[in-house]
Amino acid sequence: MINPKTSEQIIHTLSHASLGARPHPSLAPRPLFDPMADHAIVLYDPTIDDKPIIEVIDDEAAEAERKKREEEAKGPHKSLKAILGIVDVKKKQEIKVPVVIDPRLAKMLRPHQIEGVKVCLLMTY
């Protein structure tokens, strides 16, 4: 663009800011394929494979107790969020979903290949 009064070129830098005020939609996580399909191979099912360990539960309780002590140690001064009781919305909850192989691929795999895929999945976690 050129300024018509001074005939100088106007340099405009992009800010890469979002133009709209609407927040991005947050979609609930879901499995890519139906775990109940005929040839579906479920590599991980959170209802079966994920059992809470007693040590983890104890660690969470200890962590909560430690945070409570830190809050008390700060003294009488509290943040505005704490006074108003505002909960941090950005804290994401970890939702676990089943990991399912594509049924079109699963019906072509042989049993030893299925075991190999399961082992590879376990090695990544």
Side-chain angles (χ1 to χ4, degrees):
M1 291 187 341
I2 297 175
N3 188 347
K5 294 181 181 176
T6 60
S7 64
E8 293 179 7
Q9 186 175 7
I10 299 172
I11 299 172
H12 178 64
T13 58
L14 297 176
S15 65
H16 300 292
S18 175
L19 296 178
R22 186 180 310 167
H24 294 287
S26 61
L27 303 174
R30 62 179 181 82
L32 295 177
F33 304 103
D34 182 19
M36 306 305 279
D38 289 339
H39 295 285
I41 298 172
V42 180
L43 299 176
Y44 170 76
D45 189 3
T47 59
I48 298 170
D49 299 334
D50 199 25
K51 296 176 184 171
I53 302 171
I54 296 171
E55 296 172 1
V56 174
I57 296 170
D58 292 341
D59 290 342
E60 290 175 358
E63 181 70 22
E65 184 66 30
R66 186 184 61 79
K67 284 185 179 182
K68 185 177 178 183
R69 277 187 267 127
E70 285 178 3
E71 290 281 330
E72 291 172 357
K74 286 183 180 177
H77 306 291
K78 294 184 179 179
S79 68
L80 184 59
K81 274 187 175 181
I83 293 170
L84 296 177
I86 298 173
V87 179
D88 192 12
V89 179
K90 293 186 179 184
K91 198 175 204 180
K92 291 191 176 183
Q93 214 176 25
E94 186 176 314
I95 300 172
K96 297 183 179 181
V97 296
V99 178
V100 183
I101 296 177
D102 184 0
R104 292 177 290 181
L105 173 65
K107 69 181 179 183
M108 304 287 236
L109 292 176
R110 295 188 176 121
H112 68 279
Q113 293 171 324
I114 294 169
E115 291 301 318
V117 171
K118 287 182 179 181
V119 168
C120 286
L121 177 75
L122 291 175
M123 291 174 74
T124 58
Y125 291 106

